[in-house]
Amino acid sequence: MALLPILRFPDPRLKKVAAPVLEIDEGIKRLARDMAETMYEAPGIGLAATQVDVHKRVIVIDISETRDELLTLINPEIAEKDGLQVCEEGCLSVPGIYDKVERAENVRVHYLDLKGEKRTIEAHGLLAVCLQHEIDHLDGKVFVEHLSQLKQTRIKAKLAKQAKITA
Ligand code: K1U
Ligand code: ZN
């Protein structure tokens, strides 16, 4: 297994739209394992392949407190959504920044599991937020893009300052 470097906003590679996975081969299985290890080590509750500069539609999520309920979703698609919730979000690609984002309260997501079986997950609350956040990454969208232009400018300035300090 391997820890993968995570791209940082506003890296332009975070804007790429990920391609569907056509075959769940050893490379995809290894990617999913490495992404899970990277998510747990960060630590985070989700990770999209886009964030590790692999532009394929793979996400991993574990919102459990015990960190033993790993979900791996290949080619996830939101089939239905309803309701609204506002939740404080963070992002491993935007370290140290948290803000409230409005998302659907309930989602139904179709995906393939690692065996290539078609599955459906119905989620609400934090899991629904996390699914929407990670699928946004596959579509080249980072959560700060849901915020005002003024907030985005401030966030970019803060991250640039942080990067200078740590350089
Ligand atoms: O996609 C990512 O960058 C991961 C992100 C997922 C996420 C967090 C909050 C709302 C929606 C989506 C994170 O995991 S940020 C870190 C975080 O939230 C966390 C870390 C450790 C324990 C609990 C939460
Ligand atoms: Zn994120």
Side-chain angles (χ1 to χ4, degrees), residues 85-106:
Q85 61 177 321
V86 176
C87 183
E88 179 110 332
E89 297 193 19
C91 181
L92 298 175
S93 295
V94 197
I97 305 289
Y98 296 86
D99 213 327
K100 291 189 172 75
V101 175
E102 190 178 277
R103 304 269 190 191
E105 168 65 24
N106 306 294

Side-chain angles (χ1 to χ4, degrees), residues 46-48 51 90-94 133-134 137 141-143:
L47 191 70
Q51 293 176 276
C91 181
L92 298 175
S93 295
V94 197
H133 178 115
E134 302 311 334
H137 274 304
K141 192 164 180 178
V142 177
F143 89 99

Side-chain angles (χ1 to χ4, degrees), residues 4 49 53 60 62 68 76 96 100 104 122 134 142 151 160 164:
L4 306 170
D53 201 21
V60 293
D62 188 344
D68 60 357
K100 291 189 172 75
E122 286 180 13
E134 302 311 334
V142 177
K151 280 191 176 180
K164 250 188 194 172

Side-chain angles (χ1 to χ4, degrees), residues 2 8 21 43 57 60 66 76 90 99 105 132 149 154 162:
R8 296 241 175 146
V21 172
R57 300 188 81 82
V60 293
T66 42
D99 213 327
E105 168 65 24
Q132 291 170 82
Q149 279 301 329
R154 286 183 176 157
Q162 275 175 13

Side-chain angles (χ1 to χ4, degrees), residues 116-143:
E117 304 284 347
K118 282 187 185 173
R119 308 273 290 240
T120 299
I121 186 167
E122 286 180 13
H124 65 275
L126 180 60
L127 182 55
V129 169
C130 200
L131 282 161
Q132 291 170 82
H133 178 115
E134 302 311 334
I135 293 170
D136 262 3
H137 274 304
L138 299 182
D139 291 328
K141 192 164 180 178
V142 177
F143 89 99

Side-chain angles (χ1 to χ4, degrees), residues 57-115:
R57 300 188 81 82
V58 179
I59 64 178
V60 293
I61 290 178
D62 188 344
I63 64 158
S64 72
E65 291 204 352
T66 42
R67 313 294 278 152
D68 60 357
E69 293 177 26
L70 177 65
L71 292 168
T72 300
L73 294 88
I74 295 165
N75 298 341
E77 273 179 34
I78 299 177
E80 272 179 52
K81 58 181 175 179
D82 67 61
L84 284 178
Q85 61 177 321
V86 176
C87 183
E88 179 110 332
E89 297 193 19
C91 181
L92 298 175
S93 295
V94 197
I97 305 289
Y98 296 86
D99 213 327
K100 291 189 172 75
V101 175
E102 190 178 277
R103 304 269 190 191
E105 168 65 24
N106 306 294
V107 292
R108 176 177 293 147
V109 173
H110 296 322
Y111 67 100
L112 298 176
D113 67 17
L114 280 167
K115 291 181 181 153

